[in-house]
Structures are given as C-alpha cells and as structure tokens.
Amino acid sequence: MASRLGKQFNALTTMNEIDRSILSALDTRQIVDTVLNRMRDLFPCDCVGVALLDAESSDAGLMHVQYGESESENWLVPISLTAADVQECYNHPEQLFVDSTKELPHYVTSLAELEAELFLALPMFVAEKLSGLIVLGYLDPTAVNEEDTIQARQLADQVAVAVSNARLIEELDELN
C-alpha cells in the first residue's frame, strides 16, 4: 500500500510539474518538447508522439516523435489523416487503442516502425475541432492501465489548451 501511495504521489508531483511547464510556455515547440521529454516519467510507454495539425485543416500536420531516453532520438514526420482517421477521433474523443496487428491509422504509422504492440491515441480538440493527437506506444500492452489512461487524457486536454494559447500568441507576434 505504501508503495502504491508513493507511486501516486510521484505521479501527481510529475503531473504538476508538467502542467506548470506547458501552461506557462508561450512557445509551441517548448510545449511539445516538455511533453516528449516528460511523458515517460508518468506513463510506462516506450515511445511518444505529439501530432499538431494545421490550424486551417484537421487532416495534415507534423508528428513529433521521441523513442529512447535522449533528445537526440527525437524526429519530426509530416502526417496526413484520412477522413476515416479524423472521424474515428470524433467518434472516440477520449481515447483510442490501436493494436499493431490490425490496420494502422495514418497518424500511427510513423510510430509503427518502433515495433510497439499497442498505441494509446489521445485526440486533442480546441473549440470542438481536432487540433492534434498525443500517441503513446507500448512494447508491452499489459503496461497500460485505466488510471494511466485517465491521467493521460487530462494531460492531453491541458496540452490542447496550452498549444492553442501558444498558437494565438505566435499569430499575434506575426501580425506585429
């Protein structure tokens, strides 16, 4: 019981640190880097992807991927979502579990080469419009639990707000 409480306390502390970092950041890249670098401190995933979709459309954007322990193992991949991919996100706004043995949605293919067996996709919405996704990849599907998915969903919602705010500030800077 003490071990479980310790784990929960550590998770809450880490979540709070991430919250402060992403909600105080005014730069989209800084928010993405924080998520990539800290997500695995919270969840036992093996890779993390943060897809930010173009503001004008909800079907194309960039996937920021991290696999491994160092920032040198990050890369950027252009993605495009099919109409079915987008609709699936709207049908399952809380979370999507994607099994690697089935046909993969386009937003997961950049992570599929990492040989994860299960992906947890967390769609991010701003003003009821799909603005991005956070995707966690697991080599061991049994590592996913309900408590983690709830916390990951909360974090994805906060990231969506932070990215939306950062984009507004970046647009204002461009106008000035």
Side-chain angles (χ1 to χ4, degrees), residues 5-80:
L5 285 174
K7 181 183 176 199
Q8 287 175 336
F9 180 76
N10 186 35
L12 288 173
T13 302
T14 304
M15 187 80 143
N16 188 22
E17 290 171 7
I18 295 171
D19 289 346
R20 274 194 311 247
S21 293
I22 63 173
L23 293 175
S24 66
L26 301 177
D27 179 300
T28 304
R29 184 62 199 193
Q30 184 181 354
I31 294 166
V32 170
D33 286 344
T34 299
V35 173
L36 290 175
N37 294 326
R38 298 298 308 271
M39 188 65 87
R40 292 187 307 156
D41 293 343
L42 277 175
F43 309 110
C45 60
D46 298 291
C47 58
V48 179
V50 178
L52 298 180
L53 302 177
D54 296 334
E56 296 82 35
S57 70
S58 290
D59 61 358
L62 293 171
M63 173 74 81
H64 304 258
V65 179
Q66 182 178 52
Y67 182 78
E69 298 298 323
S70 73
E71 289 182 33
S72 66
E73 297 177 52
N74 293 0
W75 66 90
L76 194 59
V77 181
I79 61 165
S80 61

Side-chain angles (χ1 to χ4, degrees), residues 144-162:
V144 183
N145 65 53
E146 186 177 349
E147 186 177 318
D148 285 349
T149 59
I150 291 168
Q151 283 185 332
R153 174 72 261 160
Q154 290 170 344
L155 184 61
D157 290 340
Q158 292 168 326
V159 170
V161 169

Side-chain angles (χ1 to χ4, degrees), residues 67-169:
Y67 182 78
E69 298 298 323
S70 73
E71 289 182 33
S72 66
E73 297 177 52
N74 293 0
W75 66 90
L76 194 59
V77 181
I79 61 165
S80 61
L81 280 66
T82 65
D85 293 339
V86 173
Q87 188 58 50
E88 190 74 8
C89 289
Y90 281 102
N91 291 346
H92 303 280
E94 292 297 315
Q95 65 195 20
L96 295 154
F97 285 101
V98 179
D99 183 343
S100 66
T101 61
K102 299 189 170 111
E103 185 178 346
L104 295 174
H106 287 55
Y107 56 85
V108 175
T109 55
S110 59
L111 297 170
E113 65 190 53
L114 304 174
E115 300 179 7
E117 290 188 29
L118 181 71
F119 299 94
L120 170 60
L122 305 156
M124 296 187 295
F125 295 93
V126 173
E128 298 180 19
K129 182 180 176 191
L130 183 63
S131 65
L133 294 128
I134 294 177
V135 181
L136 307 179
Y138 295 86
L139 296 174
D140 177 9
T142 62
V144 183
N145 65 53
E146 186 177 349
E147 186 177 318
D148 285 349
T149 59
I150 291 168
Q151 283 185 332
R153 174 72 261 160
Q154 290 170 344
L155 184 61
D157 290 340
Q158 292 168 326
V159 170
V161 169
V163 167
S164 175
N165 290 341
R167 281 182 170 175
L168 286 173
I169 290 169

